[in-house]
Amino acid sequence: MRRVGSALLLLASVSLLAGGKSNASAAEPPTGLQHWWQRMNADIDALVEANRLVPPTPVALRFRARRIWSGVLPGDLLDLDVADLGADDQDELVALTANSVLVLSRRRGLFDVRQRVDLPETLSSTRARDAIGMLAVRETSTRSQGLTKTEVRVLARSSEQGAGGAYVWRDGALVLDSEFFGYALCDDGTLEAAPGRNYFIGASALWSAGVGPKLSPKVQMARCSRGLVDPTGEAIRYVSNVSLAGTLSVHCDGRAEICSPALTQYDDVGYAHLVTDLNNDGHAEIVTTQASAQSDADKVQVFSQGHGEKRLLFEREFERGIVALTAGDFDGDGALELLAAERQAQPGRVSLWLLN
C-alpha cells in the first residue's frame, strides 16, 4: 500500500476537482473529459483493491512422501523453480540442467516433461569440473483499459555456457527472448560465479535498488522467496544462501516484529534448500538438506522458526543426494506442495518427490 499511496492521493485529488463538473451534468451521457474521469476513478478503485492487505489463510500441513516422476534429463540437474506459465492457477516445474531448460507439468494426473529448450550456444571459456547454475522467475504486470496482463520470464544460466538465456512464454512454449551475463538472483539481482570453480562470489551480488543483503564470501547456492506475506498481509521476502562451509544464512526483509525473532543461521546443511510458507500462516518454513557427497544418503528436514526457536516439522531420509528443492501449486488446489529432486546412480537420472 505504501508504494501506491502517493499515486492514489494525486489521482483522488484530481478526481475531486473534477467532481463538481461531473455532477452538474449527471443526467447527460458522459462524453469527452467526463468519460475520462470515470475511467480514471475506476482505475483508482482497481488500484486500491489490488493493494488491499489480505491476511493469509492457514491450511493444514500434512507430510506424505511420494515419488511422482523418475527419468533421465539431458545433463546434470542444477536448479528448480516454478511458474504459472499457462496463467491457469496451476504451476509448472522449470528445471535447469547443464545445457537445457525443461518444463514439467501435470496433465490428466500424469507428471512429465512437456518441453525442452537449449541454453544459449556460446560455451564458457572457464568451465568448472562440476557445473553450477541458477534459475530465476520474474513476473511483470501491466494494466491497460482495466485489464492486467502478466508476463513471465524465466532466466537461466549454467556455468557450461558463456551467457544466460531469458525465456518468455509465447503460444504455449518457452521461447528464447534475449541473453544476459552473470547469474539471475531473485527478481532484482545478479551474481557472478568464480571462474573455473563450482561456487558463486558473494561480494559480486548486485541489486536493482542498489542495496541488498550481504551474502557469504563463497556461495554454493542463493535463493529468494516470491509472493510471500506476513500474518497481516504485508509483503515479506527472504534471501537465503549456503556458504562453501555448509552454513545457511537467511535474511528477512519485512516488518521488524516479524523478522527479528527469526533464526538467521543453520549449520551443516547442503546447498539444496528452500525458504517458503508451506502452510500459508505468514511465517516461513526452512527446508534443508545435509552437507554430504552427492552419491551419499541425504535427508530433507522442514523447520518452523517461531520466537527464535526452530521446531522440526518433518524429516525424510533418501538413499542418494537431494540436488534441488522447490514448492508450487502443481494441482491447482491453492496450496503449496514441497518438491525434492533426488539424484540417482545413472548419470542424468533423477526422481522427483512430493513431500506434502
Side-chain angles (χ1 to χ4, degrees), residues 119-140:
L119 290 173
E121 295 181 355
T122 305
L123 296 179
S124 172
S125 59
T126 56
R127 285 179 286 175
R129 183 181 65 179
D130 298 320
I132 58 174
M134 197 172 290
L135 273 173
V137 175
R138 296 180 179 174
E139 299 179 356
T140 304

Side-chain angles (χ1 to χ4, degrees), residues 3 19 84 103 130 134 151-152 154 181 252 288 319 323:
R3 294 190 298 271
D84 182 8
V103 177
D130 298 320
M134 197 172 290
E151 180 186 69
V152 179
V154 175
F181 296 102
C252 177
T288 66
E319 293 182 1
V323 295

